[in-house]
Amino acid sequence: MASQQTAERPGGGTALRRAVDGLPGEWFGLVVRLGLAVVWAWAGLAKIADPAEAAQAVRAYEILPESLVKPVGYGLPFLEVTLALLLLIGLGTRIVAVVSALLLLAFIAGIASAWARGISIDCGCFGGGGAVDSSKTEYAQEIARDTGFLLLAAWLVWRPRTKLSADAWLNA
C-alpha cells in the first residue's frame, strides 16, 4: 500500500499512467507509428519492383502450395505499402496495427519454421530472398528484429491515439 501511495500524484493516477495516456504518450505513439510505417514502406518498396523475386522468396519457405505462391508474393508488397501509407497518415491506426501484428507473427512463424526444418534461406523481408548457403542464414536476428517490430505494433494496438494523425482529426 505504501508503494502505491508514493507512486500516486495529486490529480489521480500514477505519473507513468498520465505519461502514457497524455501528451508524452501521444508523441511516443507518433514515433512508433512513423517507425512502423518506415519498416512497411521499406519492405514493400524493396519487393514491388521485382514481383517474381518476391514470389521466389515466398516459395523458398516451402509452406504454401504452389497455387498461392504467386498471389502472396505479388500481393504482399502492395499490402505492406498500404500499411505504411495508412500508418503514415494515421488512419485506422488500431486496425492497421492489428493487421501488422498478425503479419509479423506470420513472418516470425515462417522464419522459425524454415529454421526448424533446416531450410537455408534469406527471409526476403526487404527484397531478395530464396535459398542461400547455410552459413548465410540469420534466423535468430530476423526473428529478434520482427519481434521488435511486433512490439511497436502492439503498442499501437494498446494506444492507437497519436499526434498528427487522421484518426485524431476525424475524432475531434
Side-chain angles (χ1 to χ4, degrees):
M1 186 74 165
S3 63
Q4 183 181 6
Q5 288 174 341
T6 59
E8 290 194 16
R9 303 279 186 249
T14 65
L16 177 60
R17 171 59 70 186
R18 283 195 315 275
V20 168
D21 287 343
L23 198 58
E26 290 182 30
W27 282 107
F28 180 72
L30 171 66
V31 171
V32 168
R33 183 169 52 85
L34 294 180
L36 198 54
V38 167
V39 169
W40 287 131
W42 179 15
L45 293 173
K47 294 182 276 212
I48 260 177
D50 192 349
E53 185 178 65
Q56 179 54 39
V58 170
R59 183 177 289 111
Y61 282 88
E62 300 176 15
I63 294 173
L64 295 177
E66 188 59 33
S67 61
L68 292 178
V69 167
K70 278 189 179 179
V72 170
Y74 283 49
L76 185 59
F78 291 98
L79 173 60
E80 292 168 335
V81 169
T82 300
L83 293 173
L85 291 172
L86 290 170
L87 286 166
L88 182 65
I89 62 174
L91 184 61
T93 303
R94 178 173 276 147
I95 294 167
V96 173
V98 168
V99 172
S100 294
L102 293 172
L103 197 53
L104 287 160
L105 286 170
F107 292 164
I108 291 167
I111 294 166
S113 172
W115 192 4
R117 292 179 291 136
I119 299 172
S120 298
I121 60 171
D122 170 22
C123 75
C125 301
F126 297 96
V132 296
D133 186 71
S134 61
S135 66
K136 304 267 190 223
T137 61
E138 297 180 342
Y139 298 127
Q141 298 93 318
E142 292 164 350
I143 290 171
R145 178 201 60 216
D146 286 356
T147 300
F149 298 153
L150 179 60
L151 290 173
L152 296 179
W155 177 269
L156 293 173
V157 170
W158 184 52
R159 293 285 186 230
R161 184 178 172 142
T162 65
K163 288 307 244 182
L164 308 176
S165 70
D167 289 340
W169 179 77
L170 291 171
N171 292 326

